[in-house]
Amino acid sequence: MSSIKTKSSFGVAQVILFLSIAILVIVVAFPVLLILFNAFWVNDEFNFAGALEIIKEPQTFQALKNSLIIATGTTIGSTIVGTFFAWLVTRTDLPHKTFMKSMFLVPFMLPSFIGALAWKMLLSPNAGFINQFFIQHLGFTGPIFNIYSYIGISTVEVMYLFPFVFIQVCGALERMDPTLEESARISGAGLFTITRKITIPLVMPSILSGALLIMLYSMAHFGTVAVLGIENGIYNIPTLIYERIHQSGGSFDAIRTGTVLATVLVISAAIIIYAQRKILGSGHYQIIGGKSFRPMELKLRGLRMPLMIFCLAYIAFTIVLPTVVIFLVGSLKTYGLAFTFDNLSLDNYKFILFDYKVTRDAIFNSVTLGFTAAIITMFAGVMISYVIVKMKVRGKGILEFLGMLPFSVPGSVIALGVILAWSGQFGINLYNTVWIILVAYIARYMAFSLKANSAALEQVHDSLVEASRACGATMWQSLRDIVLPLVRPGMLAAFFLIFLPSLRELTVSIMLYAPTTRTIGVAIYTLNEDGETVISAALAGIALIIIILGQSVINHFTKKAGV
Amino acid sequence: MDIIRVEGVAKSYGQHQVHKNLTLAIKKGECFTLLGPSGCGKTVLLRLLAGFESPDAGKIYIDDTLVSDVAHRLEIPPENRGLGIVFQDYAVWPHMTVFENVAYPLKIAKRPKEEMREQVMKMIDIVGMHGLDKRLPSELSGGQQQRVALARALVGNPSLMLLDEPLSNLDANLREEMRFEIKELQRKLDITVLYVTHDQEIGLAISDRVAVMNETGEIQQIGTPWEIFEQPVNPFVFHFMGIANSIEVRRENGAYLVGKGQQPVPWKSPEGDTAHWIAGFRPSDVQIARDGEGLRGIVRRANFLGAMMDYLIEIDGAHLRTSIETHRALSENLMFKAGDICTIRFLNLLWFEADKVKEAAQP
Ligand SMILES: Nc1ncnc2c1ncn2[C@@H]1O[C@H](COP(=O)(O)OP(=O)(O)O)[C@@H](O)[C@H]1O
Ligand SMILES: [Mg+2]
């Protein structure tokens, strides 16, 4: 009956802590350290000047500038679009607001590189359907819009990234205490003044935090620039890293350039995340409570219909049109044929699902990789979050620090890091196998799992576990009967937050794939590069269907769990 | 027989020493209340008893079994101590129904299904939750959740139940109702209850014995509620036990004079030759009159509070408050206005040395 508690539980706690630290070190910290090491450590000495030299090379410097230009354009555009729509659906009497709100969230689940492919088909300067239509039927002498440009790339990114701002600002506007606005109104201020003096300053932290998120995402974003930029010689940091590594087959110079560029990304990410925490920690939660209020609505009057039509047109143009184009092109016999009934069939879809080995492998790889990564990351995330949130052990500080890392390491950095770590230099060679992609996925999606699981664990008050101990349950029985059931929604959320995005993942797998280890994203991208446009579009269509089905399953589950 | 014995227990968190050398014994079958201000270490003591924390020094016995012994590194885990515990925040499991919550201790003990069902339903009835067994906690009020927590703590027939401020999250009416129900349950089921709270009213209302603890975790006095109320051993207990009133008294040439004036206190003198004293009393121990024997004072403020009249009175620089029922004040000509002269007599006075009173911070 008696047991020496101090001794035995000390052991278990230490083991769990050690395991958690080991996972984060192996999958995240070690690869990132290798990148920094390779960037600055040449011929057995620290060489900062050398790294600067590389940055100053015309091509790398241009890539840095491009990343910044595109990210800035995308951030400004998304912030304006996101804030405007958020205000429309929360604070005005726009018709069908609930429908509009859910439509504005759709781009969240659409992979932006598939969108970029669609826009390439629509607006490439020579062959784009829209440009051709204007030239052939309306007498234009040249393309009306060239998508292969900074503006083109940023515009496409805005279409897929603005929900980051939209969702944050919607949340802030919905939670804002209306008495703040009402009291301003009572003291005689007009609605315009109130919006400018009260509302905007109050939601500013949310706007900024969403904008920073977009900045971070866009700087490290691969897909859109790869599809729309490379043709015109526009590279950003991730595409240049890919180009160098890919072309050189891993030569020393290429790796070094890659690591220096990756270091720039890591530092930018750290700065952006730091700034975001500062802004979110600056106290706006005190003004914006957790309750939902019924906010004051602005009467749009004469603008009501025009604005609704504008919103519908936006949705049709940015969501429906590209999706339709993907499915239509995917049904064509050959790219370039007209969209007549004779030229359309389901043959391509049949072909990629049943006959074509490349695409069948890709679908199989993505599904198994996504599933495995989601399962492993989900359990690892529960364990690590449990230590961080619930356990009182010495040495937890290290884990808390390591736990922040996954949030600030962009995908292309992770890919480069795992190449450095798992290509045989340290005794294990996973290069050209699916395992290296799996390791990279675990690192890339650990942040999602930590976030979902620690949020769930924080809801489980310590006294719930103590109550079960007092009822006679052992530590393990309490974990099984109390903790696990209560964090199950968090685990489920983590699983889907990983499984779905991994199905359409491109940034990481494009750097790591071998001929037999293509993922869906890689297959779509490479088929398109090889000129197999219709097959590529058909696969993209299948990917969209899988993603939409998956999302519906999530929605079903989360509704049931009442999350 | 003692069901709990705490011997020389010490516990600190970092630099902060919560308990130094705590010794306490609780008898089988009694309802024992540990009373002390917030932050004095009541919860820590309960957690030590339950086994959620280990002491830095000392021994703890429950039912004559040694459950914590620092010297021999013995520490019986919470699940083997056989206690019922009710937490301040209820700690009812949100994913289980009322039935499942209450049944959990029996499920862990692997009791047969039929017996379990019978016992759980009986316990749900006893705490007044009949017919609500299929509800989830989210469909219950705070008071009902607290009843579930009580039923869960009691269903395994523990010989000892620990309650940590179980009523402090309830509103005033419910609190009053629940405290008598807890007392009823304790009597009906014949168990020992250790109840910790900072609310002296609850403590006095339901306990057989009370221990008063000060801010630094030292037990000041143990006794029946009546003893503690009537004969507090020191100013801390006195202050803690109620809305206490006091006047300063100084000793001059063997006489005990009130405030800065020359009127002697009409009560037997304290023992000891300290110069400055505090005379403590409850508002109900003050008698006010127009004239006659007693201390002469001036009414400084008269407040009409409906059923009561509340007076602030000054006696040569010392202030005290007293109240009297309005109808009595009317019938006995005791309606004073500010500035009126009155006389004051005491039914009871307790003497404390002024220096020590200052040391004991106000609770
Ligand atoms: N786990 C802990 N870590 C550090 N300090 C603690 C811990 N638990 C309690 N304390 C400190 O011990 C003191 C007593 O706390 P507690 O027993 O909760 O008081 P109360 O009498 O109000 O229940 C407080 O000062 C508190 O800050
Ligand atoms: Mg407490």
Side-chain angles (χ1 to χ4, degrees), chain A residues 42-88:
Chain A
V42 187
N43 298 331
D44 296 329
E45 55 180 311
F46 181 76
N47 190 342
F48 185 70
L52 270 186
E53 283 304 311
I54 290 177
I55 288 180
K56 281 193 205 142
E57 279 172 23
Q59 240 202 328
T60 37
F61 194 62
Q62 189 61 43
L64 288 176
K65 269 200 331 208
N66 289 346
S67 256
L68 212 58
I69 293 169
I70 294 168
T72 309
T74 303
T75 307
I76 294 173
S78 309
T79 307
I80 294 170
V81 174
T83 310
F84 176 66
F85 284 140
W87 175 76
L88 268 187

CSV table of all heavy atoms in Angstrom, one decimal, chain A residues 42-88:
chain,number,residue,atom,x,y,z
A,42,VAL,N,32.6,28.5,-41.4
A,42,VAL,CA,33.2,28.0,-42.7
A,42,VAL,C,34.7,27.7,-42.4
A,42,VAL,O,35.4,28.5,-41.7
A,42,VAL,CB,33.2,29.1,-43.8
A,42,VAL,CG1,33.7,28.5,-45.1
A,42,VAL,CG2,31.8,29.6,-43.9
A,43,ASN,N,35.2,26.6,-42.9
A,43,ASN,CA,36.6,26.2,-42.6
A,43,ASN,C,37.0,26.4,-41.2
A,43,ASN,O,38.0,27.0,-40.8
A,43,ASN,CB,37.5,27.1,-43.5
A,43,ASN,CG,37.3,26.8,-45.0
A,43,ASN,OD1,36.8,25.8,-45.4
A,43,ASN,ND2,37.5,27.8,-45.8
A,44,ASP,N,36.2,25.8,-40.3
A,44,ASP,CA,36.5,25.8,-38.9
A,44,ASP,C,36.6,27.1,-38.2
A,44,ASP,O,37.2,27.3,-37.2
A,44,ASP,CB,37.8,25.0,-38.6
A,44,ASP,CG,37.7,23.6,-39.0
A,44,ASP,OD1,36.5,23.1,-38.9
A,44,ASP,OD2,38.7,23.0,-39.5
A,45,GLU,N,36.0,28.2,-38.8
A,45,GLU,CA,36.0,29.4,-38.1
A,45,GLU,C,34.7,30.2,-38.3
A,45,GLU,O,34.0,30.0,-39.3
A,45,GLU,CB,37.2,30.3,-38.4
A,45,GLU,CG,37.3,30.6,-39.9
A,45,GLU,CD,38.5,31.4,-40.2
A,45,GLU,OE1,38.7,32.5,-39.5
A,45,GLU,OE2,39.3,31.1,-41.1
A,46,PHE,N,34.4,31.0,-37.4
A,46,PHE,CA,33.2,31.8,-37.5
A,46,PHE,C,33.4,32.9,-38.5
A,46,PHE,O,34.4,33.6,-38.5
A,46,PHE,CB,32.9,32.5,-36.1
A,46,PHE,CG,31.6,33.3,-36.1
A,46,PHE,CD1,30.4,32.7,-36.1
A,46,PHE,CD2,31.7,34.7,-36.2
A,46,PHE,CE1,29.2,33.5,-36.1
A,46,PHE,CE2,30.6,35.5,-36.2
A,46,PHE,CZ,29.3,34.8,-36.1
A,47,ASN,N,32.5,32.9,-39.5
A,47,ASN,CA,32.7,33.8,-40.6
A,47,ASN,C,31.4,34.6,-40.9
A,47,ASN,O,30.6,34.2,-41.7
A,47,ASN,CB,33.1,33.0,-41.8
A,47,ASN,CG,33.6,33.9,-43.0
A,47,ASN,OD1,33.3,35.1,-43.0
A,47,ASN,ND2,34.3,33.3,-43.9
A,48,PHE,N,31.3,35.8,-40.3
A,48,PHE,CA,30.1,36.6,-40.5
A,48,PHE,C,30.2,37.3,-41.8
A,48,PHE,O,29.2,37.5,-42.5
A,48,PHE,CB,30.0,37.6,-39.3
A,48,PHE,CG,28.7,38.4,-39.4
A,48,PHE,CD1,27.5,37.7,-39.1
A,48,PHE,CD2,28.7,39.7,-39.6
A,48,PHE,CE1,26.3,38.5,-39.2
A,48,PHE,CE2,27.6,40.4,-39.7
A,48,PHE,CZ,26.3,39.8,-39.5
A,49,ALA,N,31.4,37.8,-42.1
A,49,ALA,CA,31.6,38.6,-43.3
A,49,ALA,C,31.3,37.7,-44.5
A,49,ALA,O,30.6,38.2,-45.5
A,49,ALA,CB,33.1,39.0,-43.4
A,50,GLY,N,31.6,36.5,-44.5
A,50,GLY,CA,31.3,35.6,-45.6
A,50,GLY,C,29.8,35.5,-45.9
A,50,GLY,O,29.3,35.5,-47.0
A,51,ALA,N,29.0,35.4,-44.8
A,51,ALA,CA,27.6,35.4,-44.9
A,51,ALA,C,27.1,36.7,-45.5
A,51,ALA,O,26.2,36.7,-46.4
A,51,ALA,CB,27.0,35.2,-43.5
A,52,LEU,N,27.7,37.8,-45.1
A,52,LEU,CA,27.3,39.1,-45.7
A,52,LEU,C,27.6,39.1,-47.2
A,52,LEU,O,26.8,39.6,-48.0
A,52,LEU,CB,28.0,40.2,-45.0
A,52,LEU,CG,27.3,40.9,-43.8
A,52,LEU,CD1,28.1,42.1,-43.3
A,52,LEU,CD2,25.9,41.2,-44.1
A,53,GLU,N,28.7,38.6,-47.6
A,53,GLU,CA,29.1,38.5,-49.0
A,53,GLU,C,28.0,37.9,-49.8
A,53,GLU,O,27.6,38.3,-50.8
A,53,GLU,CB,30.4,37.7,-49.2
A,53,GLU,CG,31.7,38.5,-48.8
A,53,GLU,CD,31.8,39.8,-49.6
A,53,GLU,OE1,31.7,39.7,-50.8
A,53,GLU,OE2,32.0,40.9,-49.0
A,54,ILE,N,27.6,36.7,-49.2
A,54,ILE,CA,26.5,36.0,-50.0
A,54,ILE,C,25.3,36.8,-50.1
A,54,ILE,O,24.6,36.8,-51.2
A,54,ILE,CB,26.3,34.6,-49.2
A,54,ILE,CG1,27.5,33.7,-49.4
A,54,ILE,CG2,25.0,34.0,-49.8
A,54,ILE,CD1,27.4,32.4,-48.7
A,55,ILE,N,24.9,37.5,-49.0
A,55,ILE,CA,23.7,38.3,-49.1
A,55,ILE,C,23.9,39.4,-50.2
A,55,ILE,O,22.9,39.8,-50.9
A,55,ILE,CB,23.4,38.9,-47.7
A,55,ILE,CG1,22.9,37.8,-46.8
A,55,ILE,CG2,22.3,40.0,-47.8
A,55,ILE,CD1,22.6,38.3,-45.4
A,56,LYS,N,25.1,39.9,-50.3
A,56,LYS,CA,25.3,41.0,-51.3
A,56,LYS,C,25.4,40.5,-52.7
A,56,LYS,O,25.3,41.3,-53.6
A,56,LYS,CB,26.6,41.7,-50.9
A,56,LYS,CG,26.5,42.7,-49.7
A,56,LYS,CD,27.7,43.6,-49.7
A,56,LYS,CE,27.9,44.1,-48.2
A,56,LYS,NZ,29.4,44.1,-47.9
A,57,GLU,N,25.5,39.2,-53.0
A,57,GLU,CA,25.5,38.8,-54.3
A,57,GLU,C,24.2,39.2,-55.0
A,57,GLU,O,23.1,39.2,-54.4
A,57,GLU,CB,25.5,37.2,-54.4
A,57,GLU,CG,26.9,36.7,-54.2
A,57,GLU,CD,26.9,35.1,-54.1
A,57,GLU,OE1,25.9,34.5,-54.5
A,57,GLU,OE2,27.8,34.6,-53.5
A,58,PRO,N,24.2,39.6,-56.3
A,58,PRO,CA,23.1,40.3,-56.9
A,58,PRO,C,21.8,39.4,-56.8
A,58,PRO,O,20.8,39.9,-56.4
A,58,PRO,CB,23.5,40.4,-58.4
A,58,PRO,CG,25.0,40.3,-58.4
A,58,PRO,CD,25.4,39.6,-57.2
A,59,GLN,N,22.0,38.1,-57.1
A,59,GLN,CA,20.8,37.3,-57.1
A,59,GLN,C,20.1,37.1,-55.8
A,59,GLN,O,18.9,37.1,-55.6
A,59,GLN,CB,21.1,35.9,-57.7
A,59,GLN,CG,20.3,35.6,-59.0
A,59,GLN,CD,20.2,34.2,-59.3
A,59,GLN,OE1,21.2,33.4,-59.0
A,59,GLN,NE2,19.1,33.7,-59.9
A,60,THR,N,21.0,36.8,-54.8
A,60,THR,CA,20.4,36.7,-53.4
A,60,THR,C,19.8,38.0,-52.9
A,60,THR,O,18.8,38.0,-52.3
A,60,THR,CB,21.5,36.2,-52.4
A,60,THR,OG1,22.8,36.8,-52.7
A,60,THR,CG2,21.7,34.7,-52.5
A,61,PHE,N,20.6,39.1,-53.2
A,61,PHE,CA,20.1,40.3,-52.7
A,61,PHE,C,18.7,40.6,-53.3
A,61,PHE,O,17.8,41.1,-52.7
A,61,PHE,CB,21.1,41.4,-53.0
A,61,PHE,CG,20.8,42.7,-52.2
A,61,PHE,CD1,20.8,42.7,-50.9
A,61,PHE,CD2,20.5,43.9,-52.9
A,61,PHE,CE1,20.6,43.9,-50.2
A,61,PHE,CE2,20.2,45.0,-52.2
A,61,PHE,CZ,20.2,45.0,-50.8
A,62,GLN,N,18.6,40.3,-54.6
A,62,GLN,CA,17.3,40.5,-55.3
A,62,GLN,C,16.2,39.7,-54.7
A,62,GLN,O,15.1,40.2,-54.6
A,62,GLN,CB,17.5,40.2,-56.8
A,62,GLN,CG,16.3,40.6,-57.7
A,62,GLN,CD,16.1,42.1,-57.6
A,62,GLN,OE1,17.0,42.9,-57.7
A,62,GLN,NE2,14.8,42.5,-57.5
A,63,ALA,N,16.6,38.4,-54.4
A,63,ALA,CA,15.6,37.6,-53.8
A,63,ALA,C,15.1,38.1,-52.4
A,63,ALA,O,13.9,38.1,-52.1
A,63,ALA,CB,16.1,36.2,-53.6
A,64,LEU,N,16.0,38.7,-51.6
A,64,LEU,CA,15.6,39.3,-50.4
A,64,LEU,C,14.7,40.5,-50.6
A,64,LEU,O,13.7,40.6,-50.0
A,64,LEU,CB,16.9,39.8,-49.6
A,64,LEU,CG,17.8,38.7,-49.0
A,64,LEU,CD1,19.0,39.4,-48.4
A,64,LEU,CD2,17.0,38.0,-48.0
A,65,LYS,N,15.1,41.3,-51.6
A,65,LYS,CA,14.3,42.5,-51.9
A,65,LYS,C,12.9,42.0,-52.4
A,65,LYS,O,11.9,42.6,-52.0
A,65,LYS,CB,14.9,43.3,-53.0
A,65,LYS,CG,15.8,44.4,-52.4
A,65,LYS,CD,16.2,45.5,-53.4
A,65,LYS,CE,16.2,45.3,-54.8
A,65,LYS,NZ,17.1,46.2,-55.6
A,66,ASN,N,12.9,41.0,-53.3
A,66,ASN,CA,11.6,40.5,-53.8
A,66,ASN,C,10.7,40.0,-52.7
A,66,ASN,O,9.5,40.3,-52.6
A,66,ASN,CB,11.8,39.4,-54.8
A,66,ASN,CG,12.4,39.9,-56.1
A,66,ASN,OD1,12.4,41.1,-56.3
A,66,ASN,ND2,12.9,39.0,-56.9
A,67,SER,N,11.3,39.2,-51.7
A,67,SER,CA,10.5,38.7,-50.6
A,67,SER,C,9.8,39.9,-49.9
A,67,SER,O,8.6,39.9,-49.5
A,67,SER,CB,11.3,37.9,-49.6
A,67,SER,OG,11.1,36.6,-49.8
A,68,LEU,N,10.6,40.9,-49.7
A,68,LEU,CA,10.2,42.1,-48.9
A,68,LEU,C,9.1,42.8,-49.7
A,68,LEU,O,8.0,43.2,-49.1
A,68,LEU,CB,11.3,43.0,-48.6
A,68,LEU,CG,11.2,43.8,-47.3
A,68,LEU,CD1,11.1,42.8,-46.1
A,68,LEU,CD2,12.5,44.6,-47.1
A,69,ILE,N,9.3,43.0,-51.0
A,69,ILE,CA,8.4,43.8,-51.8
A,69,ILE,C,7.0,43.0,-51.9
A,69,ILE,O,6.0,43.6,-51.6
A,69,ILE,CB,8.9,43.9,-53.3
A,69,ILE,CG1,10.1,44.9,-53.3
A,69,ILE,CG2,7.8,44.5,-54.2
A,69,ILE,CD1,10.8,44.9,-54.6
A,70,ILE,N,7.1,41.7,-52.2
A,70,ILE,CA,5.9,40.9,-52.3
A,70,ILE,C,5.1,40.9,-51.0
A,70,ILE,O,3.9,41.1,-50.9
A,70,ILE,CB,6.2,39.5,-52.8
A,70,ILE,CG1,6.7,39.6,-54.2
A,70,ILE,CG2,4.9,38.6,-52.7
A,70,ILE,CD1,7.3,38.3,-54.7
A,71,ALA,N,5.9,40.6,-49.9
A,71,ALA,CA,5.3,40.5,-48.5
A,71,ALA,C,4.6,41.9,-48.2
A,71,ALA,O,3.6,41.9,-47.6
A,71,ALA,CB,6.3,40.1,-47.5
A,72,THR,N,5.3,43.0,-48.5
A,72,THR,CA,4.7,44.3,-48.1
A,72,THR,C,3.4,44.5,-48.9
A,72,THR,O,2.4,44.9,-48.3
A,72,THR,CB,5.7,45.4,-48.4
A,72,THR,OG1,7.0,45.1,-47.8
A,72,THR,CG2,5.2,46.7,-47.9
A,73,GLY,N,3.5,44.3,-50.2
A,73,GLY,CA,2.3,44.4,-51.0
A,73,GLY,C,1.2,43.6,-50.5
A,73,GLY,O,0.0,44.0,-50.3
A,74,THR,N,1.5,42.3,-50.2
A,74,THR,CA,0.5,41.4,-49.8
A,74,THR,C,-0.1,41.8,-48.4
A,74,THR,O,-1.3,41.7,-48.2
A,74,THR,CB,1.1,39.9,-49.6
A,74,THR,OG1,1.7,39.6,-50.9
A,74,THR,CG2,0.1,38.9,-49.3
A,75,THR,N,0.8,42.2,-47.5
A,75,THR,CA,0.3,42.6,-46.2
A,75,THR,C,-0.6,43.8,-46.3
A,75,THR,O,-1.7,43.8,-45.7
A,75,THR,CB,1.5,42.9,-45.3
A,75,THR,OG1,2.4,41.8,-45.4
A,75,THR,CG2,1.1,43.2,-43.9
A,76,ILE,N,-0.2,44.8,-47.0
A,76,ILE,CA,-1.1,46.0,-47.1
A,76,ILE,C,-2.4,45.7,-47.7
A,76,ILE,O,-3.5,46.0,-47.2
A,76,ILE,CB,-0.3,47.1,-47.9
A,76,ILE,CG1,0.9,47.6,-47.2
A,76,ILE,CG2,-1.3,48.3,-48.2
A,76,ILE,CD1,1.8,48.6,-48.0
A,77,GLY,N,-2.3,44.9,-48.9
A,77,GLY,CA,-3.6,44.6,-49.5
A,77,GLY,C,-4.5,43.7,-48.7
A,77,GLY,O,-5.7,44.0,-48.5
A,78,SER,N,-3.9,42.7,-48.0
A,78,SER,CA,-4.8,41.8,-47.2
A,78,SER,C,-5.4,42.6,-46.0
A,78,SER,O,-6.5,42.3,-45.6
A,78,SER,CB,-3.9,40.7,-46.6
A,78,SER,OG,-3.2,40.0,-47.7
A,79,THR,N,-4.6,43.5,-45.4
A,79,THR,CA,-5.1,44.2,-44.3
A,79,THR,C,-6.3,45.1,-44.7
A,79,THR,O,-7.3,45.1,-44.0
A,79,THR,CB,-4.0,45.1,-43.7
A,79,THR,OG1,-2.8,44.3,-43.5
A,79,THR,CG2,-4.4,45.7,-42.4
A,80,ILE,N,-6.2,45.8,-45.8
A,80,ILE,CA,-7.3,46.6,-46.2
A,80,ILE,C,-8.5,45.7,-46.5
A,80,ILE,O,-9.6,45.9,-46.0
A,80,ILE,CB,-6.9,47.4,-47.5
A,80,ILE,CG1,-5.8,48.4,-47.1
A,80,ILE,CG2,-8.1,48.1,-48.1
A,80,ILE,CD1,-5.1,49.1,-48.3
A,81,VAL,N,-8.3,44.7,-47.4
A,81,VAL,CA,-9.4,43.8,-47.7
A,81,VAL,C,-10.0,43.2,-46.5
A,81,VAL,O,-11.2,43.2,-46.3
A,81,VAL,CB,-8.9,42.8,-48.8
A,81,VAL,CG1,-10.0,41.8,-49.1
A,81,VAL,CG2,-8.5,43.4,-50.0
A,82,GLY,N,-9.1,42.6,-45.7
A,82,GLY,CA,-9.6,41.8,-44.5
A,82,GLY,C,-10.4,42.7,-43.5
A,82,GLY,O,-11.4,42.4,-43.0
A,83,THR,N,-9.8,43.9,-43.3
A,83,THR,CA,-10.5,44.8,-42.3
A,83,THR,C,-11.8,45.3,-42.9
A,83,THR,O,-12.8,45.4,-42.1
A,83,THR,CB,-9.6,46.0,-42.0
A,83,THR,OG1,-8.3,45.5,-41.6
A,83,THR,CG2,-10.1,46.8,-40.8
A,84,PHE,N,-11.8,45.6,-44.1
A,84,PHE,CA,-13.0,46.2,-44.7
A,84,PHE,C,-14.2,45.1,-44.7
A,84,PHE,O,-15.3,45.4,-44.2
A,84,PHE,CB,-12.8,46.6,-46.2
A,84,PHE,CG,-14.0,47.0,-46.9
A,84,PHE,CD1,-14.6,48.2,-46.5
A,84,PHE,CD2,-14.5,46.3,-48.0
A,84,PHE,CE1,-15.8,48.6,-47.2
A,84,PHE,CE2,-15.6,46.7,-48.7
A,84,PHE,CZ,-16.3,47.9,-48.3
A,85,PHE,N,-13.9,43.9,-45.1
A,85,PHE,CA,-14.9,42.9,-45.1
A,85,PHE,C,-15.3,42.5,-43.7
A,85,PHE,O,-16.5,42.3,-43.4
A,85,PHE,CB,-14.4,41.6,-45.8
A,85,PHE,CG,-14.5,41.7,-47.3
A,85,PHE,CD1,-13.4,41.2,-48.1
A,85,PHE,CD2,-15.5,42.4,-48.0
A,85,PHE,CE1,-13.5,41.4,-49.5
A,85,PHE,CE2,-15.5,42.5,-49.4
A,85,PHE,CZ,-14.5,42.0,-50.1
A,86,ALA,N,-14.4,42.5,-42.8
A,86,ALA,CA,-14.7,42.2,-41.4
A,86,ALA,C,-15.7,43.2,-40.8
A,86,ALA,O,-16.7,42.9,-40.2
A,86,ALA,CB,-13.4,42.2,-40.5
A,87,TRP,N,-15.4,44.5,-41.1
A,87,TRP,CA,-16.3,45.6,-40.7
A,87,TRP,C,-17.7,45.4,-41.3
A,87,TRP,O,-18.7,45.5,-40.7
A,87,TRP,CB,-15.7,46.9,-41.1
A,87,TRP,CG,-16.5,48.1,-40.7
A,87,TRP,CD1,-16.8,48.6,-39.5
A,87,TRP,CD2,-17.3,48.9,-41.7
A,87,TRP,NE1,-17.6,49.7,-39.6
A,87,TRP,CE2,-18.0,49.8,-41.0
A,87,TRP,CE3,-17.4,48.8,-43.1
A,87,TRP,CZ2,-18.8,50.8,-41.6
A,87,TRP,CZ3,-18.3,49.7,-43.7
A,87,TRP,CH2,-18.9,50.7,-42.9
A,88,LEU,N,-17.7,45.1,-42.6
A,88,LEU,CA,-19.0,44.9,-43.3
A,88,LEU,C,-19.8,43.8,-42.7
A,88,LEU,O,-21.0,44.0,-42.5
A,88,LEU,CB,-18.7,44.6,-44.8
A,88,LEU,CG,-18.6,45.7,-45.8
A,88,LEU,CD1,-18.6,45.1,-47.2
A,88,LEU,CD2,-19.8,46.6,-45.7
